[in-house]
Amino acid sequence: MDHPSLARIEISKEYLKFSAGHFTLFSPSERENLHGHNYQVRCSVITQVGANGLAFDYSLIKKLLLKLCNQLDEVVLLPEGSPYLRIESEAGRISVWFAEECIPFLERDVLLLPISNVTIEELAGLLLRRLREFPELMAQPLLAIELGVSSGPGQWAYAVWDKPQEV
């Protein structure tokens, strides 16, 4: 048999999910009302298949994705990189200023994220960056990773990483 060959492995498990509150920012004066979603996460990788018919133990991806989902579960997600918000923290409380509104939260209910807006496209990019921070995953023979986040049936956004070509 000819080896190595390439395979696309997709991980799409029911338990790869998180529930979180958010609001999308449209402009300096327009935003959605605070609401929540039951987000779903999936991931596919392009990898080489070894002579033994195995790429790698991809239960590793399942464990890492579940860890990332758990970090985002049951909180209000706020974009600390938004040019439209001012976020202040004092005495266990978070005050979020948008236009002339002050939106109060308990600090324990909020997760500040290094993104500019809480959208599925931003969440997909963030989760892909965080997934790539795990050295045990990046040590695998990966050629590409595609990570998707859904805020509801039929609505997905994907972020993609391709291994840089060796020169």
Side-chain angles (χ1 to χ4, degrees):
M1 265 204 230
D2 292 337
H3 282 284
S5 63
L6 297 180
R8 180 178 183 270
I9 298 168
E10 181 169 326
I11 307 297
S12 181
K13 297 291 192 179
E14 176 64 31
Y15 61 81
L16 294 176
K17 62 185 176 187
F18 59 96
S19 298
H22 87 112
F23 50 86
T24 299
L25 302 163
F26 298 111
S27 73
S29 60
E30 186 181 1
R31 70 169 178 89
E32 292 180 319
N33 289 333
L34 180 65
H35 65 284
H37 293 283
N38 294 314
Y39 293 94
Q40 247 351 101
V41 175
R42 68 171 56 147
C43 183
S44 64
V45 296
I46 306 256
T47 183
Q48 292 188 340
V49 178
N52 64 353
L54 178 68
F56 63 95
D57 181 0
Y58 47 89
S59 67
L60 172 64
I61 296 175
K62 297 175 198 177
K63 291 174 192 169
L64 297 176
L65 288 172
L66 181 59
K67 181 177 182 173
L68 293 175
C69 287
N70 288 341
Q71 292 171 356
L72 302 178
D73 197 34
E74 296 185 356
V75 291
V76 175
L77 304 175
L78 293 175
E80 64 184 350
S82 172
Y84 306 138
L85 296 181
R86 188 174 84 240
I87 301 171
E88 300 173 351
S89 178
E90 183 179 321
R93 301 195 187 286
I94 301 274
S95 296
V96 179
W97 291 89
F98 174 78
E100 298 302 315
E101 300 175 315
C102 178
I103 310 163
F105 296 100
L106 294 176
E107 196 171 77
R108 66 179 227 136
D109 293 330
V110 169
L111 181 61
L112 298 175
L113 298 176
I115 56 179
S116 61
N117 210 342
V118 182
T119 60
I120 55 175
E121 51 268 39
E122 283 270 61
L123 291 171
L126 175 68
L127 288 174
L128 177 58
R129 287 188 300 276
R130 288 184 172 177
L131 185 63
R132 291 187 55 235
E133 289 173 358
F134 291 105
E136 61 269 38
L137 179 65
M138 298 312 292
Q140 304 305 318
L142 304 178
L143 301 175
I145 304 171
E146 181 178 82
L147 191 141
V149 175
S150 170
S151 60
Q155 185 165 302
W156 288 86
Y158 293 89
V160 178
W161 169 80
D162 290 316
K163 182 177 182 178
Q165 298 291 327
E166 295 177 7
V167 181

